[in-house]
């Protein structure tokens, strides 16, 4: 497990060493280059954003592109919302950053925190109203501001967004970041890869109030703008959406890992019907059953919270299709939770027909993370107590209810 919060981003320079002046010059140059790179990244994405802003006239019909400060009744708004919605849709449609209803964003305007609603998808941000206004300071529990009519609830992570002073806060489940954040040696690896950036490592905490407190502690200790959450993902704090985007791209590029090539199954998924389950055809998911290194990751135990919430503590693992029915019967007799996914070694991954919407995206996430972990990588899976705390968690039941059982979209008969 990662060590507790550590201040990062400062340069360890010994003033007594004779090499101090050159080192300082190098460090300063590196800092300048980092800032330059961030500005270039910002510029690179600016044109895309402008296009999206023009497509996304704000809900009150004000002209897009203006930077005027407006109100909807007592609720303040500005064009940052349109920019955030446009950018959130792009983040949400990138499965290496966001999977299903995971991840969340926020924008502070005066005494209002606009936050993603629980259970909604960032991918829908440019076609649905997924942001809800919440009064600051937060009520307990946080609730949507009076005057804003919606059936949606604020994100489970609302307290995390409010805990940071930054105007824009972005939280994503980057598979590259997760591949580092689930390692037992994450502190040393991240210190090397994120050198020169203003960042902090936050130890694993249950999402919600516990995680918000840990992120707040990390901010107080380091004043960082990038937070790597152990066994979870990334949080970025910035003055505006453009800077958040630039920081996010910088972190992800620093942490990028080339995934192993997808391994083809030696035989097609068996043409045997397994009532209630279907094979996932995405080979990045199937690799969890076929690629020995990915299978080892899948068997190591849950690595991050959304996997537990959507897919449970563990899959059923069998060596052949005819072992599935008796294994399911044994699990049922033993009072075990419903089996949400099955690994048929060397062949396929099956998912329950009634799995929550977004479950396949969570399997894709695990496949992507596993493909980025070399054989023998030291892993720090979630502890049993942490897994138990996520299962049957009241706050998650609402998000699960939002993810109504997916309509079975058979991808391959087994
Ligand atoms: Zn998260």
């Amino acid at each position: 497990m990662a060590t507790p919060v550590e201040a990062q981003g400062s340069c360890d320079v010994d003033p007594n060493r004779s090499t101090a002046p050159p080192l300082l010059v190098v460090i300063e140059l590196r800092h300048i280059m980092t800032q330059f790179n961030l500005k270039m990244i910002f510029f690179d994405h600016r044109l895309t954003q402008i296009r999206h802003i023009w497509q996304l006239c704000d809900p009150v019909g004000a002209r897009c592109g203006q930077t005027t400060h407006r109100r909807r009744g007592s609720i303040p708004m500005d064009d940052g919302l349109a920019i955030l919605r446009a950018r959130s849709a792009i983040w949400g449609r990138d499965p290496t950053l966001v999977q299903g209803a995971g991840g969340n964003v926020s924008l502070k305007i005066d005494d209002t925190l606009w936050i993603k609603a629980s259970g909604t998808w960032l991918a829908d941000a440019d076609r649905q109203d997924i942001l809800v206004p919440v009064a600051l300071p937060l009520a307990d529990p946080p609730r949507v501001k009076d005057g804003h009519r919606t059936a949606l609830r604020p994100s489970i992570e609302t307290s995390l967004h409010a805990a940071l002073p930054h105007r824009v806060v972005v939280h994503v489940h980057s598979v590259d970041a997760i591949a580092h954040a689930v390692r037992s040696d994450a502190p040393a690896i991240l210190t090397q890869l994120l050198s020169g950036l203003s960042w902090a490592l936050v130890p694993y905490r249950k999402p919600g109030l516990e995680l918000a407190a840990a992120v707040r502690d990390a901010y107080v200790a380091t004043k960082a703008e990038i937070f790597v959450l152990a066994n979870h993902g990334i949080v970025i704090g910035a003055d505006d959406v453009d800077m958040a985007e630039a920081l996010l791209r910088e972190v992800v590029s620093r942490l990028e890992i080339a995934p192993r090539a997808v391994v083809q199954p030696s035989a097609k998924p068996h043409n045997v019907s397994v009532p209630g389950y279907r094979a996932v055809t995405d080979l990045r998911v199937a690799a969890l059953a076929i690629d020995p290194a990915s299978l080892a990751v899948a068997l190591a135990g849950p690595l991050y919270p959304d996997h537990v919430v959507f897919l449970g503590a563990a899959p059923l693992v069998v060596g052949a299709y005819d072992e599935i029915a008796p294994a399911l019967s044994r699990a049922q007799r033993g009072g075990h939770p419903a089996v949400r996914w099955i690994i048929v070694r060397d062949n396929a991954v099956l998912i329950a027909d009634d799995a929550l919407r977004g479950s396949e995206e969570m399997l894709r996430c695990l496949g992507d993370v596993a493909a980025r972990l070399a054989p023998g990588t030291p892993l720090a899976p979630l502890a049993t107590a942490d897994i138990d705390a996520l299962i049957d968690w009241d706050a998650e039941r609402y998000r699960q209810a939002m993810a109504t059982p997916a309509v079975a979209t058979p991808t391959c008969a087994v």
Side-chain angles (χ1 to χ4, degrees), residues 157 171 173 232:
E157 301 292 15
H171 168 47
H173 299 155
H232 193 145

Side-chain angles (χ1 to χ4, degrees), residues 102-104 157 171-173 207 211 229 232-233 305-306:
N104 32 71
E157 301 292 15
H171 168 47
V172 293
H173 299 155
L211 179 58
L229 312 183
H232 193 145
D306 263 8

Side-chain angles (χ1 to χ4, degrees), residues 94-103 172-179 182 231-233 259 280 282-288 294 297-298 303-308 310-311 341 349 351 358-373:
D94 180 350
T96 68
L97 288 179
V98 172
Q99 305 82 28
V172 293
H173 299 155
S174 152
V175 295
D176 290 295
I178 292 174
V182 298
N231 293 89
H232 193 145
V280 179
D282 189 332
L283 288 179
R284 285 163 297 202
V285 175
L288 293 167
S294 291
V297 173
L303 297 169
Y304 43 88
D306 263 8
H307 182 90
V308 178
F310 282 81
L311 295 168
W341 63 298
V349 169
I351 189 168
S359 295
E360 245 182 90
E361 284 77 2
M362 296 304 165
L363 283 177
R364 161 82 188 271
C365 180
L366 182 60
D368 283 339
V369 169
R372 286 163 171 76
L373 292 167

